[in-house]
Structures are given as C-alpha cells and as structure tokens.
Amino acid sequence: MISPRIAQLAPGIVLCAAVALAAMGLQWLEEHWTGRPWLEALVIAILIGTVVRTFWTPDRRWAPGIGFSAKTLLEVAVMLLGASISFQAVLDAGFGLIAGIAVVVALAIGASYGLGRWLGLPRRMAILVACGNSICGNSAIAAVAPVIGAKPEDVASSIAFTAVLGVIVVLTLPLLVPMLGLSATQYGVLAGLTVYAVPQVLAATMPVGLVSTQLGTLVKLVRVLMLGPVVIALSLVAGRTTQDARPGLSWSRLVPWFIVGFLGLALMRSVGLVPDAILRAIVPTATLLTVVSMAALGLGVDLKVLRTVGARVTLAVTLSLLVLLAISLGLIRLLGIA
C-alpha cells in the first residue's frame, strides 16, 4: 500500500523526472550530432522547466513533488557530492583563499547594502538584498529576515527576484570562461563566490569540468558558513539578544543537514573510507538527482514575477551581483589562482 506522503509527492517528482529525461535525451542528441554537449542536461532541464512554467502553472497536485525535488533532492545530491571531494583541494588552494572568502562576503554585503540605500530601498530590504546576494540567496534571506524584523512583502520581493536571477547566473556564468580566459580552478572559485545556492553551483560548474565543480562547491560551502557570523552580527546591531533572535539563529538554518553530510563524506573520502567502487556509483547518482532538481528549479521560476518586483529592487539586486562578480575576480587575481 502506498503511503499518503509518497502519493502526495509522486506527481510532481514524476513531472520533474520527465523533464530531466527529456533534457538528458537532448544532451545525447547534441553529442550525437555535434560530438560534444554544448548545453549540459542540467542547463537544458532548467530551460525546459522554465518554458513549461511560463505557459502552465502547476496546481496543488504537482506542487509538493516539485518542491521536494527542488529542495530535498538537491540537498541529497550536494551531500553525495562530498564523497568525491578531498579536503586536500582546499589545502592546495591555500588558507589565503578561506580568508579571502570572508573578506569578499564582508565587502559584498557592505557594497550591496550601500547600493540598496542609494537606490532608495528601505533599510531592512537593503539588508535582505545584501545578504541574499553575498551569501546564499533565499537561505540567507530566510535566516536574516526574523533577526531584523523584515516585513513579509520585503522577504517575498527579495526571494522572487533572487529565484529568477539565480537561474540567469547559472545559465550565463560559464560564458565567462572563454571570455575572460579562466582556468577550471579560477572558474570554480568564481562560481563558488558568486552563485546563490549551493546546489546551483553544480549546474554552473559541471559544464566546465570536475575540478571546477569540486572547488566551486567547497568555496561555496565556506561562503555559506559565513551566514552564522553575519546573522549573529546583525542580531547584535539590531539590539536583540541571542535568545530574542533564536528563530533566525537555529542551527538547522545556519548549518543545514546536507552541509554536515557533505563535510562528513568529504572527510571520509579524505581519509580513504570511501572506496572507488562506491564512488563510481555515487557520482552518477548525484548527477541524476541534480538534473531532476534543476528541472524542478525551472518549474518553480515564473518569469512573470519580474513585473511585480519593483524596478529599484531589480536594479539593486543586479548591481549588487555585478559588484560581487568584480570583487571575486579581484580576489582571484590578488591570490594568483591559476
């Protein structure tokens, strides 16, 4: 007998899987006709999902499964990816990179907040945009909102545009590799510093290569861990005690379970506890789950939300992203990452 929970999730998951299979089929056709995949299945899945969502809004029957695929399956994929990554990659990049990530986050938050205020955004809205752009998109917005007492409409506007711009970043960031002559290592660091969500780093880096994916994910995880100090600092600035800000400071928000799992698997891989045979099964599984999740991400992006988001918010988010991109490129050059 099928449990009610599975029955509830099944339609949306099947829909996402169908989009993912179509995307993988189109990638196969690309490889068959041109000899290489110009667009990876990850990107194709986002595009197909976005087109479907533009012309058809899934009702409540589909929503649970789509949401599960976009969030939980992505988190599982990210966790599994930890098994393919050794901490030696971070050591090879140097501890200067870790310090540099913290500096980039701090500078980006300051610059983004300043831009938002200059454009006339309310203080709380400017903080949401700054933290969302500089750390980890929706997760940062959700964690910061209760700490600063943000209004629901401010949170909704910030998240709405972040969802759209996040997909645009995933699709366009790989174009910088040939334009700027970036190496796989440089691009991995750049993606980790600029892409909003941890799972979206996979979609932005996998088309470039495994080195970019590994380093980009590690850099992104370090960037996400900056959320804890930032939220604590904001709670102090807002004049709230840690107890008062407890909803925004829960460990489940600051250190999500999949990040703990990712780090645990990476540690196991680093000390030789993940055999190659298991790794060969984990990597394609993580890739498949990511494609399904990217389909769900596309199905959740309604391009029409751009009409409802104010021009000042749109401009603030876009300019903040460009500033973050410039700061990140500056760090790469400063550290001499090759």
Side-chain angles (χ1 to χ4, degrees):
M1 182 176 177
I2 299 177
S3 71
R5 178 59 174 167
I6 293 177
Q8 182 186 39
L9 296 176
I13 293 176
V14 170
L15 175 61
C16 295
V19 173
L21 288 174
M24 289 187 287
L26 288 174
Q27 178 181 315
W28 181 86
L29 289 175
E30 278 188 283
E31 294 176 347
H32 180 71
W33 289 336
T34 67
R36 58 159 295 182
W38 294 94
L39 285 178
E40 298 282 339
L42 294 163
V43 177
I44 297 173
I46 294 176
L47 293 174
I48 294 176
T50 302
V51 170
V52 171
R53 177 67 176 82
T54 300
F55 293 98
W56 171 64
T57 301
D59 58 28
R60 287 180 294 179
R61 176 190 176 192
W62 310 93
I66 293 174
F68 179 84
S69 299
K71 184 177 186 297
T72 304
L73 291 187
L74 269 175
E75 293 171 347
V76 172
V78 172
M79 182 188 71
L80 292 177
L81 187 65
S84 67
I85 295 175
S86 171
F87 285 122
Q88 188 61 43
V90 175
L91 297 177
D92 291 343
F95 288 103
L97 177 60
I98 297 177
I101 294 170
V103 172
V104 167
V105 170
L107 290 176
I109 288 177
S112 181
Y113 177 76
L115 278 170
R117 295 295 286 159
W118 178 66
L119 290 169
L121 295 185
R123 182 178 63 85
R124 291 184 177 88
M125 171 69 86
I127 292 174
L128 291 178
V129 170
C131 292
N133 261 13
S134 306
I135 305 176
C136 52
N138 294 347
S139 298
I141 292 171
V144 167
V147 175
I148 64 173
K151 297 178 181 179
E153 55 268 28
D154 290 342
V155 176
S157 296
S158 302
I159 288 179
F161 193 79
T162 297
V164 176
L165 191 59
V167 173
I168 294 174
V169 171
V170 168
L171 295 175
T172 59
L173 198 64
L175 299 177
L176 295 181
V177 175
M179 289 175 58
L180 301 179
L182 300 175
S183 68
T185 301
Q186 290 172 329
Y187 178 73
V189 173
L190 181 65
L193 288 171
T194 55
V195 176
Y196 287 151
V198 177
Q200 289 178 342
V201 173
L202 305 185
T205 55
M206 280 186 174
V208 177
L210 184 59
V211 171
S212 292
T213 301
Q214 291 176 338
L215 191 54
T217 304
L218 283 169
V219 169
K220 178 59 185 175
L221 287 176
V222 174
R223 183 173 155 217
V224 169
L225 292 177
M226 296 294 107
L227 180 59
V230 168
V231 171
I232 292 172
L234 286 173
S235 71
L236 296 176
V237 171
R240 301 186 175 205
T241 64
T242 301
Q243 183 176 0
D244 293 333
R246 187 167 293 169
L249 294 174
S250 64
W251 284 109
S252 62
R253 286 184 181 274
L254 302 185
V255 187
W257 68 269
F258 66 95
I259 292 182
V260 175
F262 176 95
L263 295 174
L265 286 174
L267 179 60
M268 292 173 63
R269 175 64 175 172
S270 299
V271 298
L273 295 180
V274 180
D276 290 338
I278 295 179
L279 183 61
R280 284 194 292 270
I282 287 177
V283 172
T285 299
T287 301
L288 176 61
L289 289 177
T290 305
V291 176
V292 174
S293 300
M294 290 301 106
L297 179 65
L299 287 168
V301 174
D302 185 1
L303 296 179
K304 290 178 287 187
V305 300
L306 290 175
R307 300 175 186 172
T308 64
V309 177
R312 288 183 297 176
V313 177
T314 303
L315 186 58
V317 174
T318 304
L319 290 178
S320 296
L321 180 61
L322 293 176
V323 169
L324 176 60
L325 184 64
I327 294 173
S328 301
L329 287 171
L331 175 66
I332 291 171
R333 303 301 183 192
L334 179 65
L335 295 179
I337 298 173

